[in-house]
Each structure stands twice: as C-alpha cells, then as structure tokens.
C-alpha cells in the first residue's frame, strides 16, 4: 500500500510520511547529545507527544549508562532486563511500562542523583506512557511507522524528497484513495485498510495547516512525481490546485526538479525531521514493507547533502505554481 507520507503503493503494511531549507538556517540542525538534561526541558515542551518523550528519556538513560561505564549487556544482566528491550528503550522505540523499572535503572546508574533530577526523569517517564492520537491506526502502519508518526507531530521542520508520486502531506483525498485502490488487488489489501490509510493521511495534513506552531515543510518532487497519471485528468488537475494552494502557506515550500536538468538526484524518497535542541534530527527512508528511522549522525548528514544538492538544482519555489498550471493545461 502507499507509504504514509508519499503515496507509493508498496506492500500490505504500507502507509506514508513527510520533510527544510538549510540555506535559511545553515546551522540549525544541531546535536544535543552532550548537553545535560535541564529541569526546564520538560516544562518548556509540555505539549510534546509520548514518542518524543520516550526518545528524550531514552537519550538521558543512555547518557547515564555511558557515564557510569556500563554496557547494555551488563545492565541487562544486573537487573534481569531483556537486552533487546533495554536497547529499544534507549532509542525511544519501547517504553518502560513500570516506574519501578526506571527507579532500578537510576539506582544502578547513579545512587547519588539529586532528588530533583530523579523526579524530572520520573515525570518524563509518566508522560511517555500516554496514548498518541494516531493509536487507532497503529494496526495499519508498517514497522517503525508508529515511531515516525509520533516524532513528526513534534518536529519543527520537515525536509523531504519524493521522486515518484505527489508527497503525502500534499495529496488530495481523491489522489490518495486512487493510489490505494490501484494497489489493492496486487497487495491483497481490504477496503477497510484503504479507508483507514486515506483517513490517516488526510488527518496528517493538520501538521502543516494547524493554527498553533504549524510544521515548516520543505518538499522537493521530481517532475515524474507530478506528471505521473493517477486515476484521471480531473484528479490530477485537482491535485495540482492543492499543491499550488498549499505552497502559498507561509510555512510550506514546494520545488520541482525538472527532467531536463543535469544534476544529482536519488531514486529513493526520504524525510528529514528537525526538532528543538532536546532531540537530534532524524532521517526516515522507505524500505520494503517497513521504514528506517535513525538519528545516526552520518546518515542524517548524508541525506542533508542529498536534499541540498537537489534543492539547489530544482526550480525556484516561485515557479512551482506556473509549472503546475502548465501541467494542468496539458491535461485538458
């Protein structure tokens, strides 16, 4: 089925996602890995979602463990925890279901930790256990998608490249439904699966249209992504109008990378998420029936270079509407 943010039908568990202009803020993607947690971190970001909180907590626990000079295997053996579970807690993919588990970790890492710091981590843990608004759709998401979905709602900026289809957050309902319907007999999905994924994708557009702190979105689409016929000329014309309308939002920039430009381009779509100093940036890449989500610095930097190279070769944002208008005329 279509990916959660882009629209490429791929696999029974597929859904989709979304992506920043480093020319405007060339040093804003910064690392906070060496900054100690401050008490105010939680209060300042009180509206952050559970996934963001899990990642914050996992990062703090990893720093405490490394400061103590312990390996994951040593901690797991000492406390009788599952090594896999503990590793996933540190990268924010799993939560600690009981506060007693966190207390045991803190006792092992630093018996003399200030009560105030301990209470801050315990509060962070409690907030990490709350349900996310997308929880009802979890059964229809591919592996790792729940983690990405939780992170994107708290991201400050998205940068994305989509070579094949209209980027998910810019899709119309008709375009999205057509993608899933076309894939249905091949991927053997159900009508319920289609409707749930269409509904989820339409709800995700609220990330860029919400009145409070809308996501800053920077999207590059290859010319093939907007030329590729989906369903009918009428659906495509409606889709062009939607992209043009969204690109007029102050927080949205859309660029087209033309076929006739000789430049670097990658065949794979990807999304970069940038947060506040509390979390390092992450990159998401679609894979077969799953997605990859990582904050590994080298991988993040590699995709930043990719985005920058294609952004510099793409048409200026001011020309996007005219380009789409020309395509619409061709569909007459």
């Amino acid at each position: 089925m279509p990916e959660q943010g882009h629209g490429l039908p791929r696999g029974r568990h597929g859904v989709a996602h979304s992506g920043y202009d480093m020319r405007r803020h060339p040093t804003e993607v910064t690392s906070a890995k060496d900054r100690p947690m401050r008490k105010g971190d939680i209060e300042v970001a009180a509206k952050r979602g559970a996934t963001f909180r899990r990642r914050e907590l996992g990062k703090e626990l990893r720093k405490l463990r490394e400061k103590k000079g312990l390996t994951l295997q040593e901690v797991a053996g000492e406390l009788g925890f599952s090594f896999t579970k503990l590793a996933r807690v540190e990268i924010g993919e799993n939560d600690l279901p009981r506060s007693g588990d966190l207390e045991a970790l803190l006792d092992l890492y630093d018996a003399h930790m200030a009560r105030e710091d301990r209470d801050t981590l315990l509060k962070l843990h409690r907030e990490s256990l709350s349900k996310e608004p997308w929880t009802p759709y979890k059964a229809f998401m591919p592996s790792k998608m729940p983690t990405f979905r939780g992170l994107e709602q708290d991201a400050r900026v998205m940068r994305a490249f989509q070579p094949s289809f209209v980027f998910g957050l810019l899709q119309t309902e008709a375009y999205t439904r057509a993608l899933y319907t076309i894939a249905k007999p091949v991927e053997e999905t159900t009508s319920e699966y289609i409707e749930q994924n269409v509904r989820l994708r339409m709800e995700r557009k609220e990330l860029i249209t919400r009145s409070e702190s809308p996501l800053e979105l920077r999207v590059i689409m290859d010319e093939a992504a907007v030329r590729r016929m989906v369903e009918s000329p009428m659906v495509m014309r409606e889709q062009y109008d939607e992209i043009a309308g969204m690109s007029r939002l102050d927080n949205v920039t859309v660029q087209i990378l033309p076929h006739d430009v000789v430049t670097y381009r990658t065949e794979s779509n990807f999304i970069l998420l940038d947060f506040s100093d509390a979390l390092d940036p992450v990159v998401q890449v679609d894979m077969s029936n799953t997605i990859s989500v990582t904050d590994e610095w080298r991988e993040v930097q590699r995709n930043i270079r990719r985005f920058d190279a294609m952004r510099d070769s793409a048409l200026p944002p001011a020309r996007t509407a005219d380009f789409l208008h020309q395509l619409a005329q061709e569909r007459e």
Side-chain angles (χ1 to χ4, degrees):
M1 281 323 305
E3 322 158 53
Q4 169 73 12
H6 313 313
L8 173 63
R10 175 192 297 172
R12 182 162 192 158
H13 303 290
V15 200
H17 345 290
S18 321
Y20 181 26
D21 190 347
M22 290 300 292
R23 290 177 299 182
R24 295 179 56 188
H25 308 288
T27 62
E28 283 196 346
V29 179
T30 58
S31 172
K33 57 170 65 80
D34 298 321
R35 179 180 64 78
M37 184 185 65
R38 298 185 295 257
K39 179 186 177 184
D41 286 350
I42 290 179
E43 283 98 11
V44 168
K47 295 183 179 180
R48 295 296 192 183
T51 304
F52 188 96
R53 296 307 202 184
R54 279 202 305 273
R55 213 164 179 95
E56 281 186 298
L57 180 61
K59 188 172 71 170
E60 295 300 331
L61 291 175
R62 183 173 68 250
K63 287 194 293 188
L64 288 172
R65 175 179 60 77
E66 292 174 347
K67 182 179 178 181
K68 201 70 176 178
L70 296 171
T71 66
L72 279 170
Q73 292 90 338
E74 289 170 336
V75 174
E78 180 73 21
L79 299 179
F81 289 176
S82 162
F83 167 82
T84 301
K85 169 187 171 181
L86 192 56
R88 289 176 176 170
V89 165
E90 287 197 356
I91 62 175
E93 287 188 359
N94 281 14
D95 55 36
L96 283 168
R98 299 180 303 171
S99 60
D101 292 339
L102 177 57
E103 292 273 17
L105 284 170
L106 297 181
D107 288 341
L108 179 63
Y109 293 159
D110 193 347
H112 304 293
M113 175 182 287
R115 185 72 243 179
E116 184 180 49
D117 290 340
R118 183 179 286 253
D119 288 344
T120 297
L121 288 175
L122 287 169
K123 181 180 180 182
L124 191 59
H125 172 255
R126 288 193 300 272
E127 293 174 348
S128 75
L129 298 177
S130 62
K131 287 188 176 181
E132 302 278 22
W134 45 258
T135 299
Y137 302 105
K138 191 171 182 179
F140 299 92
M141 293 182 177
S143 171
K144 301 293 181 71
M145 187 59 201
T147 297
F148 179 84
R149 180 66 186 92
L151 289 172
E152 72 169 1
Q153 68 179 349
D154 290 316
R156 183 173 55 84
V157 181
M158 272 189 185
R159 288 165 286 173
F161 173 67
Q162 173 52 257
S164 303
F165 295 89
V166 171
F167 185 66
L169 291 184
L170 302 176
Q171 291 177 12
T172 64
E173 183 172 342
Y175 184 99
T176 300
R177 180 171 281 104
L179 286 175
Y180 280 101
T181 301
I182 292 169
K184 181 180 178 181
V186 179
E187 304 296 347
E188 298 183 328
T189 52
T190 65
S191 296
E192 180 188 12
Y193 178 86
I194 292 175
E195 291 308 311
Q196 291 283 16
N197 275 279
V198 171
R199 187 176 299 117
L200 175 59
R201 188 166 300 180
M202 293 303 103
E203 288 183 4
R204 290 179 60 248
K205 296 180 76 165
E206 188 263 345
L207 290 167
I208 54 177
T209 60
R210 62 196 180 197
S211 58
E212 184 178 350
S213 302
L215 181 70
E216 187 174 350
L217 179 64
R218 300 286 178 261
V219 176
I220 302 169
M221 290 184 288
D222 193 276
E223 182 176 337
V226 290
R227 277 198 177 276
R228 192 185 304 273
M229 177 68 75
V230 173
E231 184 71 11
S232 69
M234 183 177 68
V235 168
M236 296 308 298
R237 289 195 298 270
E238 179 189 34
Q239 181 63 75
Y240 298 149
D241 287 343
E242 176 73 358
I243 298 171
M246 293 295 240
S247 67
R248 287 194 288 270
L249 296 175
D250 291 340
N251 58 304
V252 176
T253 299
V254 180
Q255 293 179 260
I256 307 298
L257 186 60
H259 283 160
D260 58 3
V261 172
V262 179
T263 184
Y264 169 82
R265 63 186 79 207
T266 178
E267 294 182 357
S268 61
N269 52 285
F270 61 87
I271 296 168
L272 290 152
L273 297 181
D274 183 31
F275 306 91
S276 63
D277 286 344
L279 284 186
D280 295 334
V282 302
V283 60
Q284 174 271 315
V285 180
D286 286 330
M287 304 169 70
S288 179
N289 292 330
T290 186
I291 67 173
S292 167
V293 181
T294 180
D295 61 0
E296 200 278 317
W297 190 244
R298 185 172 298 177
E299 187 66 15
V300 169
Q301 290 300 310
R302 183 164 72 97
N303 283 280
I304 288 175
R305 292 194 301 272
R306 285 176 166 179
F307 183 88
D308 288 351
M310 291 184 289
R311 176 206 60 204
D312 292 342
S313 299
L315 295 177
R319 292 186 56 188
T320 297
D322 288 341
F323 187 90
L324 295 172
H325 179 67
Q326 180 180 336
L327 288 183
Q329 289 183 320
E330 294 176 10
R331 303 296 189 189
E332 295 291 345

